[in-house]
């Protein structure tokens, strides 16, 4: 499964990229606001650090505005993927972007029926928000399983980009379900790496190495 960082914070994006574990990046208006960045300057900077798809979200909700904004964002860098909300006007714009060869990430997906329509419109990626579904006392991961099954059944090329990931277990579940990609905060990427037995084992090796050096004196 491809791992995307869900962030607009260039420092953490750079750190994750240096670890060699990220395949792309997703941003949204809330993440840009949190990082205190404007989309016009943040996206080129992220594209200079991340060698892979970088999602930049439109804020228009009418077809003409979405298309105008999306074309402008797509011109920033070849890796820009235009992120479009899952509404009727958004799907019209996705159809246009697809015809123009502009990649799209259809966001705010909360049902399999929405995901089916996004794929029919030609979305490059679909972003189902599993954490936000969990927040409503439903099993978000069931949506990932349903979408993967439906896309497989009909050979849709749209990639499932599991979003709103909150924990390492979400990542493992998404990978088990066959999600093509998962986008997660840097904190989750760092949690994926951690295991207490690694730390205990490393401390033991270093202590034994020190002892061996002392003995050899
Ligand atoms: C990414 O594309 C989404 O915008 C993001 O994963 C949403 O995550 P949140 O539910 O934690 O805000």
């Amino acid at each position: 499964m491809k791992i995307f960082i869900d962030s607009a914070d260039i420092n953490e994006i750079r750190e994750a990229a240096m670890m060699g574990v990220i395949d792309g990046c997703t941003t949204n208006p809330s993440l840009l606001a949190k990082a205190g960045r404007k989309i016009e300057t943040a996206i080129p900077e992220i594209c200079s650090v991340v060698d892979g798809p970088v999602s930049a979200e439109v804020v228009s909700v009418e077809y003409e505005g979405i298309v105008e904004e999306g074309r402008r964002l797509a011109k920033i860098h070849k890796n820009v993927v235009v992120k479009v909300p899952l509404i009727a006007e958004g799907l019209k714009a996705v159809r246009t972007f697809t015809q123009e060869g502009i990649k799209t990430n259809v966001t705010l997906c909360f049902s399999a029926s929405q995901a089916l329509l996004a794929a029919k419109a030609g979305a490059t990626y679909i972003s189902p928000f599993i954490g936000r579904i969990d927040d409503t006392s439903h099993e978000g991961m069931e949506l990932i399983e349903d979408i993967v099954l439906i896309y497989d059944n009909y050979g849709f090329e749209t990639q499932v980009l599991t979003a709103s990931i909150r924990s390492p277990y979400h990542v493992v579940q998404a990978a088990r379900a066959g999600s093509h990609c998962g986008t997660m905060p840097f904190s989750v990427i760092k949690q994926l790496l951690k295991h207490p037995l690694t730390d205990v084992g490393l401390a033991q090796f270093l202590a034994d190495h020190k002892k061996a050096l002392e003995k050899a004196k």
Side-chain angles (χ1 to χ4, degrees):
M1 186 173 77
K2 290 177 199 149
I3 292 183
F4 293 176
I5 185 167
D6 197 22
S7 174
D9 177 332
I10 195 65
N11 294 321
E12 62 182 26
I13 293 170
R14 191 174 284 119
E15 206 176 325
M18 282 170 72
M19 284 163 60
V21 295
I22 57 166
D23 302 293
C25 175
T26 52
T27 65
N28 64 36
S30 305
L31 291 169
L32 285 159
K34 190 175 160 206
R37 298 295 307 265
K38 283 195 174 144
I39 198 163
E40 297 80 14
T41 53
I43 296 300
E45 201 174 2
I46 295 171
C47 288
S48 73
V49 169
V50 176
D51 186 18
V54 173
S55 289
E57 188 161 342
V58 299
V59 286
S60 302
V61 290
E62 304 293 341
Y63 169 78
E64 288 79 12
I66 296 172
V67 168
E68 186 273 321
E69 244 188 281
R71 284 179 183 146
R72 192 158 29 86
L73 290 169
K75 277 195 190 119
I76 293 177
H77 192 280
K78 65 177 174 42
N79 286 345
V80 168
V81 174
V82 178
K83 207 171 174 190
V84 180
L86 217 167
I87 54 176
E89 296 291 293
L91 292 188
K92 287 184 206 166
V94 168
R95 179 169 171 265
T96 299
F97 290 139
T98 305
Q99 287 164 349
E100 294 178 4
I102 294 173
K103 294 203 168 88
T104 53
N105 174 357
V106 177
T107 190
L108 291 165
C109 172
F110 293 94
S111 77
S113 60
Q114 289 180 312
L116 179 59
L117 294 189
K120 290 190 75 72
T124 315
Y125 299 96
I126 182 74
S127 284
F129 279 30
I130 57 157
R132 293 193 195 185
I133 294 176
D134 286 358
D135 292 344
T136 65
S137 308
H138 288 84
E139 179 61 65
M141 205 49 67
E142 283 177 7
L143 177 58
I144 302 302
E145 291 165 4
D146 282 350
I147 299 172
V148 168
L149 178 70
I150 290 167
Y151 283 6
D152 278 357
N153 280 350
Y154 298 100
F156 285 116
E157 287 179 10
T158 303
Q159 294 192 39
V160 181
L161 200 181
T162 301
S164 190
I165 282 177
R166 305 263 169 85
S167 71
Y169 191 51
H170 272 156
V171 179
V172 172
Q173 285 179 300
R176 269 198 208 132
S179 182
H180 304 87
C181 331
T183 189
M184 63 209 75
F186 188 43
S187 56
V188 173
I189 294 177
K190 285 189 286 189
Q191 281 178 304
L192 286 175
L193 181 69
K194 287 300 272 182
H195 196 288
L197 290 179
T198 304
D199 297 338
V200 169
L202 179 60
Q204 183 70 55
F205 286 151
L206 294 180
D208 288 345
H209 174 66
K210 204 172 161 195
K211 273 189 217 156
L213 286 182
E214 278 161 10
K215 257 190 195 172
K217 272 183 191 165

